[in-house]
Amino acid sequence: MSRRSERRPGTESPSVAAGGRPHVVAVVVPEPADAVALVDLEPAGAEIAVVALRAGTQEGRGALDRALAAAADRGCGVLGAPRVLNGRDSADTVAALLDELRDLGPDRLHTLDPDPVHISFDRASGMPEYDVPPVHAETAAQALDAARAWQAESGRPLSVDCHRAGSDPGLGAASCRRYPAPATWLSAGFDGRLTAFLPTAAGLVRRYQDASGRWSGPEPVEGAGLLPGLFVARDPQGFPHVFGLRRTARGDGGVDVEVVHTAQYRTDGPLTPWHSLGGPNTSDWRKGRSVGFPAAAFDAAGGLHVFVRNFGHSISRRGQAADGSWPAWEHLRGTRVGDDLVAVTAPHGGVEVYARKRDAPGAVRWFPGGPGGAWTEDAALPFAPRPGTLAPAPEAGAVLFRDLRTNEACLWRPGMQAPCPLGEARGSGPLGALRGVEHRGWTYSVLTAVAQDGTHLVGAYPEGRPDAGVWWQDLGAPSREAPAAAVSRTGQLTVASRVSGRHLLLARRDERVDGFSLGDWQRART
């Protein structure tokens, strides 16, 4: 059963609160034909500009013209004809792309995957084989270089989506992202102040509240080569830890891609230096560059466990020992998986990991249930998640996802015969989750989601009882980022939305109203 409250008339929407500035999206591709799938993903309201390195074929240009016409029909703006650079070499191309970004001033950049996942491996030559031409990865790397330079120059955070090769645009934008958009980017410190961690073209940017409640400006966190994605996990003491991927050039013309980690132990203090965890295939950079995005969780004793999809399309794990050291990566052999991994802390206090199957609909779960704590695989889970939607649930050991066939938001935990549907939360992308929200002596779990029409949703249900029904509230007009929620030590529930440029919007629970009604969107004070 599901209950939903409609947005009250006259409340402020994210787009209005941000000043009504158009949301400009730059699409950077090798040729016009390569932009078609990226344009098709863009929802209504964006102003789209396509930048191509080459003119391409007449057929490709025609396909893009049709895609842009369809975008205009659904409510997008089109900023002129595709811009064709015809650059001569890499340095010229990056400089030309930077000039285009200066002219456009984009809020978001769509490009391809700089490190595509291989489809086969030639053992004779020792070379991975791909189903996309090398120029796709080269263009994506050049676009990222230009985007980092523009963000450093302008001081404006720039969101970046890298389109995963072989993904299905019909399943939505979240299913196509090489670096996932986080649903856990808002965190509350021990002092009750909030911190927002945001992935951008230039890596991690954060904003935090000072003692008066005002927010700092977007503050870049030092770290060259960070890719535009992040995952935030809280340790048992409540401190946020941020995980990502770092890409650096090698002297031999290759690139190294490694898992990195930092932590924040004081709201207004510096984060710890980035700590490299390497990767499971770093002995060969050609294999190591295709590593999946990390998932992480802490066990009840405070031990940190990090998981990635490795070159062989299975899962590798690295855990921190009690003395603080990091033993080598461990390979969990079994079912081949896609890029979607989620790690959770189970009721028994240990950590388990879920993944979407690569070669068939479905999901798998690994847990330390074998002799001596050996990892055991359960490949017979009763659900198939949509790519890009697996996420930790509020309850220990449970996961959230959208059903592959119906797109319905669901929760599942071990022991359930079938997933629990979460009601009126059909939409796109992963759900965010928060537990331990107190109200009138009861404890609730809170969910955040993006609805079918792009509006923000917040849901609540008695903790541990999603089957009792989720009460959903619509928080207003569409935004370009998934919302996130946090609760302070004093019990204040806040939902945050990131909109164009530097803006951050907040909605807080209205304590004057019974239930979980949230007030109007307010721009974060700076």
Side-chain angles (χ1 to χ4, degrees), residues 12-373:
E12 187 177 26
S13 76
S15 58
V16 173
R21 179 184 180 276
H23 184 84
V24 177
V25 176
V27 178
V28 178
V29 289
E31 297 184 359
D34 301 313
V36 171
L38 282 66
V39 170
D40 288 345
L41 288 171
E42 195 59 40
E47 300 283 328
I48 303 173
V50 175
V51 182
L53 272 58
R54 299 188 300 269
T57 65
Q58 182 176 355
E59 181 182 4
R61 294 192 296 273
L64 177 58
D65 288 342
R66 292 189 292 274
L68 291 171
D73 288 343
R74 65 175 178 268
C76 294
V78 178
L79 300 179
R83 303 167 180 224
V84 179
L85 302 185
N86 291 320
R88 291 189 299 269
D89 56 38
S90 179
D92 285 349
T93 299
V94 172
L97 286 172
L98 178 56
D99 283 341
E100 295 294 343
L101 297 181
R102 288 170 177 149
D103 183 53
L104 293 168
D107 300 290
R108 183 178 293 277
L109 184 145
H110 290 318
T111 190
L112 305 174
D113 186 350
D115 297 302
V117 179
H118 70 292
I119 59 169
S120 61
F121 182 68
D122 186 339
R123 296 189 179 277
S125 65
M127 297 291 290
E129 297 180 340
Y130 306 93
D131 59 356
V132 293
V135 69
H136 281 205
E138 294 163 5
T139 301
Q142 292 162 346
L144 286 172
D145 286 344
R148 292 187 187 103
W150 181 81
Q151 181 170 320
E153 180 182 285
S154 67
R156 285 182 51 191
L158 176 60
S159 298
V160 177
D161 290 334
C162 292
H163 192 276
R164 182 168 51 193
S167 55
D168 181 359
L171 296 179
S175 300
C176 300
R177 291 189 176 113
R178 172 68 159 90
Y179 312 111
T184 56
W185 52 267
L186 189 69
S187 181
F190 276 98
D191 53 10
R193 291 184 284 165
L194 301 176
T195 301
F197 299 98
L198 306 171
T200 71
L204 174 62
V205 167
R206 71 167 179 165
R207 299 188 66 183
Y208 58 84
Q209 290 180 307
D210 64 18
S212 70
R214 293 187 178 274
W215 286 78
S216 67
E219 173 189 282
V221 177
E222 293 296 329
L226 292 171
L227 290 163
L230 62 85
F231 174 75
V232 182
R234 290 164 62 90
D235 64 23
Q237 291 73 44
F239 296 115
H241 294 246
V242 184
F243 302 83
L245 292 176
R246 181 168 62 194
R247 189 179 198 269
T248 53
R250 298 166 53 96
D252 59 5
V255 292
D256 287 324
V257 179
E258 56 190 336
V259 179
V260 291
H261 160 239
T262 184
Q264 175 178 283
Y265 294 108
R266 196 179 71 201
T267 301
D268 56 357
L271 275 71
T272 62
W274 288 99
H275 170 227
S276 173
L277 297 177
N281 303 109
T282 51
S283 60
D284 182 343
W285 71 264
R286 294 172 182 83
K287 294 182 178 180
R289 66 180 292 203
S290 69
V291 64
F293 204 81
F298 290 86
D299 60 34
L304 174 56
H305 304 255
V306 182
F307 303 85
V308 295
R309 190 263 307 140
N310 57 39
F311 182 78
H313 299 292
S314 57
I315 293 179
S316 290
R317 167 195 168 272
R318 196 171 188 192
Q320 190 173 23
D323 62 1
S325 63
W326 287 87
W329 287 93
E330 174 186 6
H331 184 188
L332 308 183
R333 303 181 185 277
T335 304
R336 299 191 347 151
V337 301
D339 272 0
D340 306 69
L341 272 65
V342 59
V344 298
T345 306
H348 55 68
V351 169
E352 301 180 354
V353 61
Y354 292 78
R356 180 179 59 84
K357 292 181 179 179
R358 178 180 186 266
D359 300 323
V364 291
R365 163 179 168 250
W366 279 264
F367 57 97

